[in-house]
Amino acid sequence: MPQPTTPTILTVAAGSANWQAEINSNFAALLAHLTGGPLPVKVYTIATLPPAAEWQQCIAFVSDPATDKGMLVYCDGTDWRYVSDATTL
């Protein structure tokens, strides 16, 4: 099962002379990201949501350009469902 993509935080420039400091700096940002603050959630339209069978126990945000609104959804392995009332998309 493919894993959801997340922002790349831990990176080191190729050929970096100061790679250890870069790792330490990026690791601190990654740790802060994982231990507090809002979680990034990928935004999709209903048409662009990935197959439910490949994303069990994942969440996403579905935007509706027609209404300029969006809703949080989760995947049960069979369907994407709205968090608010568990109806399927």
Side-chain angles (χ1 to χ4, degrees):
M1 171 167 85
Q3 295 297 311
T5 57
T6 56
T8 302
I9 297 173
L10 189 56
T11 60
V12 176
S16 172
N18 199 13
W19 61 270
Q20 207 165 13
E22 284 187 52
I23 288 176
N24 288 342
S25 172
N26 288 318
F27 186 74
L30 176 62
L31 187 59
H33 175 75
L34 294 175
T35 59
L39 295 172
V41 178
K42 184 135 175 141
V43 178
Y44 297 92
T45 64
I46 292 173
T48 61
L49 275 169
E54 298 174 9
W55 294 86
Q56 185 173 1
Q57 298 178 347
C58 290
I59 60 171
F61 189 85
V62 175
S63 68
D64 183 353
T67 63
D68 199 28
K69 294 183 180 180
M71 297 286 289
L72 196 60
V73 296
Y74 69 94
C75 180
D76 64 9
T78 302
D79 296 299
W80 286 96
R81 298 178 175 274
Y82 289 106
V83 170
S84 60
D85 60 9
T87 58
T88 59
L89 279 70

